[in-house]
Amino acid sequence: MNEPQTAYEGQLIARPDDRVTWSKALLLGLQHVMAMDVYVVPFIIASALALSASDSASLIQSTFLAAGIGTIIQTVWCMRMPVAQGPSYIPLGAILTIAFAAGGGYAGLGTVFGALIPGALMVMLLGMTGWFHRLVRWLVPPIVGGTIILVVGLSLLPIALTANVFTVHGDTTLNQSLVLAATSAVLLIVAMMLGLRYNNRLGVWMRVSSVVIALIGGTLVAWAMGLFSWESIAAAPWFTLPKLVGVDYALHFSLPAILTFVVIYLVVIAETTGTWLAVSAVIDQPITNKQLDRGAIGEGLSCGVAALVGGTPVTGYSTNAGVISITGVASRMVFVAAGLVLAVLGFFGKFSAAIAAIPAPVIGGMFAVVCITIAMAGIRILRHVHLDERAMLVVGVPIIFSFFATLAPQAWVKSLPDMLQYLLGSSVTLGAMAAMVLNLILPRAAAAKSA
């Protein structure tokens, strides 16, 4: 059955190939960086491995550098879409397991990086041979693509609220956390709506600056409430060098670790495909077969570079699709600027400390609105799909899977085999896989078969 084609219903100020001034590109690029929780993954790894303060800082810096290089690789050379790369949460369990098995701590990371490189080459090979786009076209028709985008938005929302708003940080109370989250969310919505309401220079500025306005406004309110400190920023050094594989880390290759990451990378590429679909829906630009294959090459190349500079596997970040929808600017120049900002933060500790110092509830309030814009992009696609009983199951059951992964008790998850732990560690991946499998195995009605 052919799916109906409809015009994009959003309002883009700048399309992917449009040029914007470099000052605007830098401002918008900084907004995209602020909307990404790049520092969280390396922080979790450093804490679990009990790394020293200097080694922890170096791992965070390497992650920023890897994200910046990966973003530029995908935006300029490979995918050529407005896509930002950041550290994936999916490999966290495998990274820690392999590191501890190799002795733990700083020394264990050498085996982790040795396991990352072969898997990255495999992903590149999928793109170079053209197999990747064939798999995607078979597995991800419009109904599955819309479902994946919806799952991305809905599955990220509990994380935005639970980890950043409902979890009390430091001396902050729950009521204070709710106030800060509501402040950033309201500021974001007001700035976005004023930008849409007044079609003049000020209106455009309000819309494209909406994320920065929300984060700065929320942070200022936190400061007035005594919940924000400048000390960590003041104490951070201006310039430091990240540690590199082969120079600062002794590289070790372990066959079991390599095989583990071959499977992990297949899950990561499924995750990033969902992000590409979300961006495609927001910018109303279908992804070509060539882009899919080049995107897989870029994903493998980005992950390989990440391993070499001492970072973890990167993936496309869905939050940036939401930021595009909010600001209306999809210019690739903005994402080149975001990549440059991320890479620079890999060397300037004070700037990364400033972003890391933004109170979590402020990020959570802004993040929640971004999640909803992503989910609504999926609904835009799905409301033009013929939703018979079969289709409703293809769309609805993956939402159950994604929430199952989000809400499953961690004690029970940790009792499962490693591979199941990896899958349950990503609600997006579990939901996406469920949508693809259900669309293949559920029988179609007789009328649909003959259509």
Side-chain angles (χ1 to χ4, degrees):
M1 172 178 279
N2 293 328
E3 306 291 352
Q5 299 298 315
T6 58
Y8 177 59
E9 298 166 275
Q11 298 180 30
L12 288 180
I13 298 172
R15 299 195 62 78
D17 292 328
D18 291 347
R19 298 188 64 83
V20 298
T21 63
W22 275 110
S23 59
K24 182 180 288 186
L26 284 171
L27 171 63
L28 290 166
L30 182 60
Q31 286 192 134
H32 280 281
V33 172
M34 288 181 168
M36 301 168 68
D37 51 359
V38 174
Y39 59 89
V40 174
V41 169
F43 181 82
I44 292 172
I45 294 172
S47 299
L49 295 179
L51 299 182
S52 67
S54 61
D55 290 339
S56 299
S58 178
L59 186 62
I60 292 173
Q61 286 182 260
S62 294
T63 304
F64 272 103
L65 179 59
I69 295 173
T71 298
I72 294 172
I73 286 173
Q74 286 288 46
T75 302
V76 177
W77 294 298
C78 293
M79 195 73 184
R80 294 186 63 81
M81 282 179 64
V83 175
Q85 299 282 95
S88 174
Y89 285 81
I90 291 172
L92 263 176
I95 289 171
L96 294 177
T97 300
I98 292 169
F100 281 124
Y106 180 85
L109 290 174
T111 304
V112 171
F113 297 132
L116 294 177
I117 296 173
L121 294 174
M122 177 206 67
V123 174
M124 290 179 62
L125 189 62
L126 279 175
M128 293 171 66
T129 57
W131 274 101
F132 184 72
H133 83 262
R134 293 184 178 91
L135 288 172
V136 170
R137 295 304 182 197
W138 175 51
L139 293 172
V140 192
I143 186 173
V144 175
T147 301
I148 290 174
I149 297 168
L150 178 60
V151 164
V152 167
L154 293 180
S155 61
L156 290 176
L157 185 56
I159 297 173
L161 295 176
T162 302
N164 294 298
V165 180
F166 298 144
T167 299
V168 177
H169 299 267
D171 297 329
T172 307
T173 66
L174 178 58
N175 287 337
Q176 290 172 326
S177 181
L178 292 172
V179 168
L180 294 179
T183 299
S184 63
V186 169
L187 285 174
L188 178 57
I189 293 170
V190 169
M192 184 182 175
M193 289 299 100
L194 288 175
L196 293 171
R197 174 66 178 82
Y198 298 103
N199 192 22
N200 53 27
R201 189 169 183 176
L202 177 60
V204 172
W205 182 87
M206 288 289 290
R207 186 179 179 192
V208 300
S209 306
S210 54
V211 174
V212 166
I213 291 171
L215 292 178
I216 291 178
T219 301
L220 289 176
V221 171
W223 185 33
M225 295 170 64
L227 301 174
F228 175 78
S229 173
W230 299 93
E231 293 180 4
S232 62
I233 303 173
W238 280 103
F239 180 81
T240 52
L241 290 173
K243 295 179 179 178
L244 305 178
V245 171
V247 177
D248 302 290
Y249 295 101
L251 201 59
H252 299 288
F253 295 98
S254 165
L255 183 58
I258 291 172
L259 293 177
T260 297
F261 265 100
V262 166
V263 178
I264 294 294
Y265 271 122
L266 293 176
V267 182
V268 171
I269 197 70
E271 175 190 36
T272 203
T273 301
T275 295
W276 298 343
L277 293 171
V279 172
S280 173
V282 169
I283 66 177
D284 189 34
Q285 180 175 304
I287 304 176
T288 65
N289 291 340
K290 183 178 180 180
Q291 278 182 305
L292 285 171
D293 289 333
R294 290 176 64 90
I297 295 171
E299 184 79 1
L301 185 58
S302 298
C303 290
V305 170
L308 292 175
V309 301
T312 57
V314 295
T315 185
Y317 263 38
S318 304
T319 51
N320 300 95
V323 174
I324 292 174
S325 181
I326 289 170
T327 64
V329 178
S331 172
R332 288 188 295 121
M333 285 183 64
V334 171
F335 283 79
V336 172
L340 292 173
V341 170
L342 286 165
V344 167
L345 290 175
F347 296 96
F348 287 85
K350 200 171 287 291
F351 289 111
S352 56
I355 291 179
I358 298 174
V362 174
I363 295 175
M366 177 276 300
F367 192 17
V369 178
V370 169
C371 291
I372 289 302
T373 62
I374 296 171
M376 294 308 296
I379 292 175
R380 273 179 176 155
I381 295 174
L382 291 173
R383 71 190 185 90
H384 298 293
V385 171
H386 178 58
L387 289 175
D388 58 11
E389 288 78 1
R390 176 188 182 277
M392 286 191 290
L393 290 174
V394 172
V395 175
V397 173
I399 296 175
I400 298 176
F401 273 83
S402 66
F403 275 91
F404 179 87
T406 301
L407 302 174
Q410 287 303 302
W412 174 74
V413 172
K414 291 178 180 178
S415 70
L416 299 174
D418 288 345
M419 194 53 58
L420 289 178
Q421 290 187 42
Y422 303 152
L423 290 176
L424 288 171
S426 173
S427 55
V428 173
T429 301
L430 194 63
M433 292 175 65
M436 291 185 284
V437 171
L438 286 170
N439 187 59
L440 292 176
I441 67 173
L442 290 183
R444 298 177 184 272
K449 290 179 182 179
S450 60

